[in-house]
Amino acid sequence: ARSMRHDARARPRHEKHEKHRRSLRTYLASVVRHVACGIWLTCMSLCVGAYSALHKRWPERFELRELARRRRVPWVYQYGLRREVLRTRVNAVRASSEKAQKEHLFVCIHGLAGTPDDLCAMEQRLVRDPRAAVYRVTCNAPFKSFDGVEAGATRIVDELKRVVVKYPGLKRLTVYGNSLGGIYARYAVALMYAEDGNVGTMLGLKPCTFLTTATPHLGVGPYGYFAVVPALARATWSKNLGGSIMELTLSDGHRRKSGQPLLVDMADPEVTEPLNFIGALGAFERRCAFANATNDFLVSYETASISPEYLDPALEHKWRTLESSRVVEEYEHDPDAEDAPLKQPSRDSSKIAFQRRMARGLKTLRWKHVNVAFPGFAPLAHNKICALQRTETMEKLFKEGEWCVDLQAKYLLEPFNQSQKVQ
């Protein structure tokens, strides 16, 4: 009996010590992850900064080398696809609906240093509807995406004008942007909205759905792994890598007439000249943002989900240690709801003043939010959320995200299904 009482008293102490050891291991693993990613991002920042500085110093040498490389490996293929396997796969799906009358234009926009191949998984799902005209933009692939959001968005609009001419029966427009492609999309729709006289159409089409995946709506800092990169490395990276990086790091205010970073102006409902960014977004019938809840080393949960307050580390750990990938949050943001739940304000609020301001502006509109988790140790979620298929190796590495692309495609095609039920 005495032995049983001793075991009963010792068991809670043992469980307490075991719980403490597990917490310590979790904390150490998190520190190792952040330090490793921070070191990698720091090295990448310094290398890219040094390369860009050399490019500015001897531009003629780099231009000749780039021209020679493009002659060896041209980017222009049928439907913008480099991989023969992808061309065959997509063409097989297209063949059954190529002669059908196209009514709805789906525009897919890749991100920074991306290629048209990146969003092939989405195209394969959308083209199954014979009324869908799916177009993945090619004008920013791959290194043209560094010269600023305005330049890239202007090229996209010029490219889409030719697409609209090709399909004269088009009536509606849906825009799908991945990563930086979501920022491009927000600027491009504002350009098209202005060209049509701010009357609610874009290139003569009725805006239907606007969807982004892992898009840095609030910039790329100071959240996630970028927070552990030294300030000197971040400055070297942003100043030397082109306008797009300066805009994503909110360090371009000195170059703008308003004195505010571009992303801040793009999220301000009071900014209507020269472009009405919020008005153009509001012209869409639906808006949706897919975000990675964890393991995205480039675009953190806070900025992709338009939630500026820092994510609770305990909740992030819970999502990262799930047994399988899944949707962890799904909700509608209603700007008119007075009792909408608010997250606890972050303690270090001075660093996220811009982010809070941008979130308030974007949330004057109704949004559907879908936050997904790809658990595990490796932070590869940024490319899993779109099931990146640029190379055979990447397709295998990021294949886990195909269920998420299924969800996105289902949401984009909902208007088609609803119109069929009405008919």
Side-chain angles (χ1 to χ4, degrees):
R2 189 181 299 113
S3 176
M4 291 177 62
R5 287 194 299 272
H6 175 74
D7 291 343
R9 290 194 299 269
R11 191 177 300 112
R13 291 198 299 269
H14 175 73
E15 292 177 353
K16 182 178 180 180
H17 292 323
E18 182 62 27
K19 183 178 180 180
H20 176 72
R21 282 194 292 268
R22 286 198 303 267
S23 300
L24 182 61
R25 286 196 298 268
T26 300
Y27 173 76
L28 292 176
S30 177
V31 170
V32 170
R33 281 162 46 88
H34 278 75
V35 170
C37 289
I39 292 174
W40 186 85
L41 287 171
T42 300
C43 293
M44 182 186 71
S45 301
L46 294 174
C47 290
V48 168
Y51 177 85
S52 301
L54 292 173
H55 193 287
K56 292 180 180 179
R57 179 66 179 83
W58 294 290
E60 64 282 350
R61 296 184 182 181
F62 286 87
E63 288 174 2
L64 290 174
R65 186 175 301 174
E66 177 66 13
L67 181 61
R69 188 192 65 79
R70 289 183 180 179
R71 287 174 178 172
R72 293 194 307 270
V73 187
W75 278 100
V76 180
Y77 283 86
Q78 186 180 12
Y79 303 123
L81 292 172
R82 291 190 58 164
R83 288 182 60 197
E84 183 178 355
V85 173
L86 291 183
R87 291 203 303 276
T88 303
R89 191 183 304 167
V90 173
N91 291 347
V93 181
R94 281 180 177 268
S96 60
S97 61
E98 192 67 30
K99 296 181 180 180
Q101 179 73 16
K102 306 302 179 184
E103 301 176 4
H104 197 131
L105 175 61
F106 291 85
V107 180
C108 302
I109 307 175
H110 64 75
L112 190 70
T115 74
D117 292 12
D118 295 357
L119 305 182
C120 193
M122 174 59 76
E123 182 184 22
Q124 292 176 59
R125 288 155 174 80
L126 296 179
V127 296
R128 292 168 185 167
D129 193 299
R131 297 168 296 173
V134 185
Y135 187 81
R136 285 170 294 107
V137 298
T138 62
C139 58
N140 292 326
F143 300 113
K144 288 183 179 179
S145 56
F146 288 88
D147 62 354
V149 172
E150 180 181 0
T154 302
R155 287 192 293 266
I156 290 172
V157 173
D158 292 339
E159 190 171 350
L160 293 182
K161 289 178 180 177
R162 297 190 292 271
V163 177
V164 172
V165 172
K166 181 180 178 181
Y167 299 106
L170 291 173
K171 299 177 182 177
R172 310 187 79 186
L173 172 68
T174 284
V175 180
Y176 166 72
N178 177 62
S179 191
L180 177 62
I183 304 297
Y184 276 141
R186 284 170 51 193
Y187 203 108
V189 299
L191 287 172
M192 294 186 288
Y193 187 70
E195 286 191 10
D196 280 20
N198 296 337
V199 295
T201 60
M202 299 173 186
L203 300 181
L205 308 180
K206 182 180 178 182
C208 179
T209 304
F210 185 92
L211 187 146
T212 64
T213 56
T215 290
H217 290 288
L218 310 182
V220 294
Y223 308 109
Y225 297 106
F226 280 100
V228 300
V229 178
L232 177 61
R234 290 201 302 267
T236 302
W237 187 49
S238 63
K239 290 181 179 179
N240 291 292
L241 198 51
S244 299
I245 302 301
M246 294 188 70
E247 290 157 358
L248 288 175
T249 55
L250 308 184
S251 56
D252 63 315
H254 66 282
R255 306 192 311 170
R256 296 179 50 77
K257 185 177 180 180
S258 66
Q260 300 289 340
L262 173 64
L263 293 187
V264 174
D265 283 344
M266 289 177 63
D268 190 344
E270 297 183 0
V271 174
T272 57
E273 295 292 339
L275 296 173
N276 188 347
F277 296 103
I278 296 298
L281 267 181
F284 284 87
E285 297 174 4
R286 310 184 306 161
R287 287 156 298 279
C288 181
F290 274 71
N292 283 312
T294 185
N295 276 339
D296 192 325
F297 77 100
L298 287 176
V299 180
S300 63
Y301 164 85
E302 294 89 344
T303 182
S305 64
I306 320 178
S307 302
E309 307 303 334
Y310 291 103
L311 178 63
D312 181 7
L315 184 58
E316 191 275 339
H317 172 71
K318 175 184 176 181
W319 289 338
R320 184 163 39 84
T321 54
L322 293 171
E323 294 183 357
S324 61
S325 57
R326 66 189 69 173
V327 174
V328 294
E329 289 182 329
E330 184 173 359
Y331 60 94
E332 293 268 359
H333 165 74
D334 184 358
D336 299 323
E338 296 182 359
D339 57 347
L342 298 175
K343 291 190 175 182
Q344 187 70 21
S346 302
R347 287 175 295 177
D348 191 5
S349 60
S350 61
K351 291 184 179 180
I352 58 173
F354 271 148
Q355 284 76 14
R356 283 179 169 175
R357 179 178 167 186
M358 288 186 283
R360 284 195 299 269
L362 290 170
K363 290 196 172 185
T364 57
L365 303 172
R366 182 185 297 272
W367 287 83
K368 178 181 176 64
H369 291 277
V370 182
N371 303 323
V372 300
F374 293 96
F377 183 81
L380 302 177
H382 188 71
N383 291 331
K384 287 183 178 181
I385 199 170
C386 65
L388 195 76
Q389 298 184 349
R390 190 182 307 176
T391 66
E392 184 178 356
T393 301
M394 288 184 176
E395 183 175 356
K396 294 178 180 178
L397 192 61
F398 306 126
K399 190 177 181 63
E400 182 185 359
E402 290 195 352
W403 67 267
C404 189
V405 180
D406 288 335
L407 283 182
Q408 298 160 22
K410 180 181 178 181
Y411 181 80
L412 293 178
L413 291 172
E414 277 181 5
F416 275 174
N417 300 330
Q418 291 174 357
S419 65
Q420 287 179 342
K421 290 180 180 179
V422 171
Q423 293 173 0

